[in-house]
Amino acid sequence: AQSVAQPEDQVNVAEGNPLTVKCTYSVSGNPYLFWYVQYPNRGLQFLLKYITGDNLVKGSYGFEAEFNKSQTSFHLKKPSALVSDSALYFCAVRDPYKLSFGAGTTVTVRA
Amino acid sequence: ETGVTQTPRHLVMGMTNKKSLKCEQHLGHNAMYWYKQSAKKPLELMFVYSLEERVENNSVPSRFSPECPNSSHLFLHLHTLQPEDSALYLCASSLLPGSGETQYFGPGTRLLVL
């Protein structure tokens, strides 16, 4: 089965600093990887995905993610975090009909 | 979030009640999903419908009964639930599953079983 892991339960950064949320994957074959964000009392919002092609994927709200095959990682990044980026972030992998999600990382951006 | 809507947004029910959750997608998709999100646990897939046929039933107790009358609507019928079934129930939709299609989620129904 395909799976992803998010090694950090929480990430705290100051506004304006770079933000990184880590994700590693374990798949057989080519991975289809996704990032979603969840704000309080809301559903999951799609940020970006990697299917094939460029290893650097750009998504919504200034986020990007880098696919690294040798390190089996798909870390989410934002060059300059905003307080409004505070939310719960999920990494996911296609498996094959469903999405298998990581446990989630809570991001807190302090002003 | 208006692409996938869910009603009700909040539901409180007793263990002997029968209720239904409704999901509607306005994205022209042909696959729909139910997920359960409990505190401190990863999201769990419950059911997948593709072209209105159930393609995956992820060992879900029979007190949860899905229904997909057409490609735009998905229901989750609930009866004799347990307190541990309290969770956020998320509906999602996509184009046909099996490749890199994106799933789009509704806002969820927050269920409390007393």
Side-chain angles (χ1 to χ4, degrees):
Chain A
Q2 325 283 51
S3 65
V4 291
Q6 294 179 243
E8 299 165 319
D9 291 338
Q10 289 202 340
V11 170
N12 299 305
V13 298
E15 188 172 35
N17 281 3
L19 170 63
T20 298
V21 187
K22 295 180 180 178
C23 174
T24 59
Y25 64 88
S26 175
V27 303
S28 54
N30 296 320
Y32 295 155
L33 297 161
F34 300 78
W35 275 103
Y36 285 84
V37 60
Q38 186 177 32
Y39 298 98
N41 300 313
R42 304 280 291 276
L44 275 68
Q45 294 182 31
F46 169 71
L47 283 177
L48 51 82
K49 68 180 178 183
Y50 173 82
I51 304 299
T52 186
D54 287 341
N55 290 340
L56 185 63
V57 180
K58 293 189 182 295
S60 306
Y61 313 120
F63 284 95
E64 59 187 29
E66 184 172 8
F67 174 72
N68 188 317
K69 189 172 184 178
S70 62
Q71 297 185 7
T72 63
S73 66
F74 188 57
H75 300 333
L76 181 70
K77 299 180 181 182
K78 187 170 184 179
S80 179
L82 301 172
V83 172
S84 57
D85 293 328
S86 298
L88 181 59
Y89 290 79
F90 290 99
C91 181
V93 63
R94 169 67 64 197
D95 182 25
Y97 293 118
K98 66 181 181 182
L99 290 175
S100 289
F101 286 87
T105 299
T106 299
V107 170
T108 301
V109 182
R110 60 185 184 277
Chain B
E1 288 190 21
T2 55
V4 181
T5 58
Q6 291 186 243
T7 55
R9 293 293 307 275
H10 297 89
L11 179 62
V12 180
M13 59 187 290
M15 289 190 285
T16 58
N17 292 158
K18 290 185 180 181
K19 296 287 184 182
S20 296
L21 309 184
K22 179 182 177 181
C23 175
E24 184 172 1
Q25 61 94 3
H26 310 274
L27 300 170
H29 291 161
N30 39 31
M32 297 187 78
Y33 312 76
W34 280 117
Y35 287 86
K36 177 183 178 182
Q37 185 178 24
S38 304
K40 309 296 184 184
K41 294 174 71 174
L43 277 82
E44 307 169 55
L45 177 73
M46 300 176 73
F47 302 103
V48 180
Y49 277 83
S50 176
L51 297 174
E52 301 146 44
E53 289 193 21
R54 193 187 310 178
V55 296
E56 184 155 337
N57 176 353
N58 215 28
S59 301
V60 178
S62 59
R63 57 186 183 269
F64 295 92
S65 175
E67 178 189 3
C68 187
N70 55 61
S71 60
S72 297
H73 294 87
L74 183 66
F75 295 89
L76 188 63
H77 304 299
L78 316 172
H79 64 97
T80 59
L81 294 191
Q82 304 298 311
E84 60 265 29
D85 297 322
S86 298
L88 182 67
Y89 289 84
L90 292 165
C91 174
S93 71
S94 74
L95 295 174
L96 284 178
S99 61
E101 70 293 337
T102 300
Q103 292 183 21
Y104 292 90
F105 286 78
T109 295
R110 176 73 62 185
L111 174 66
L112 177 62
V113 181
L114 300 176

